[in-house]
Amino acid sequence: MIRIILPIAALGALAACNDPGFTGVNGVQDALPDQVASCTYVTDIRMTPGVYGPVVTDKALMYARNKVMADARDAGANTVVFDPVPPSGEVYMVHAKAYRC
């Protein structure tokens, strides 16, 4: 049984190492709305963070933002404009507009 579980766990760990949610996304930048005025709109992207709560909110938000940036890159964009995050409160949806600049 252990011979089966260890390879599966190792594959899961390797997959997480390549997950852009954890590693970040090269080639895509975060911008403000006025910085994309001359860029071409590509698409809107939304993602719900997988977990909530005061302890994990920052990590979950970072993971969701990185995944949105990866989706934007896959759609042909190189710049994203995220909706503002409320200063006091949990984020239940990460939304960004993707652009090619």
Side-chain angles (χ1 to χ4, degrees):
M1 184 65 122
I2 291 178
R3 290 182 185 174
I4 295 172
I5 294 173
L6 287 177
I8 292 172
L11 285 174
L14 287 175
C17 290
N18 293 324
D19 186 336
F22 294 116
T23 61
V25 180
N26 290 326
V28 180
Q29 65 181 353
D30 187 2
L32 298 173
D34 61 338
Q35 296 172 318
V36 295
S38 62
C39 300
T40 303
Y41 170 80
V42 176
T43 189
D44 274 36
I45 301 172
R46 290 175 171 76
M47 180 179 183
T48 303
V51 292
Y52 305 104
V55 176
V56 294
T57 300
D58 291 341
K59 293 289 183 189
L61 182 58
M62 181 180 67
Y63 180 87
R65 288 173 59 96
N66 285 342
K67 292 294 273 188
V68 165
M69 292 177 102
D71 290 348
R73 179 194 58 206
D74 294 345
N78 62 4
T79 306
V80 294
V81 176
F82 287 99
D83 286 351
V85 175
S88 60
E90 294 181 359
V91 177
Y92 296 99
M93 177 70 63
V94 174
H95 173 253
K97 291 184 179 181
Y99 297 88
R100 186 172 32 261
C101 299

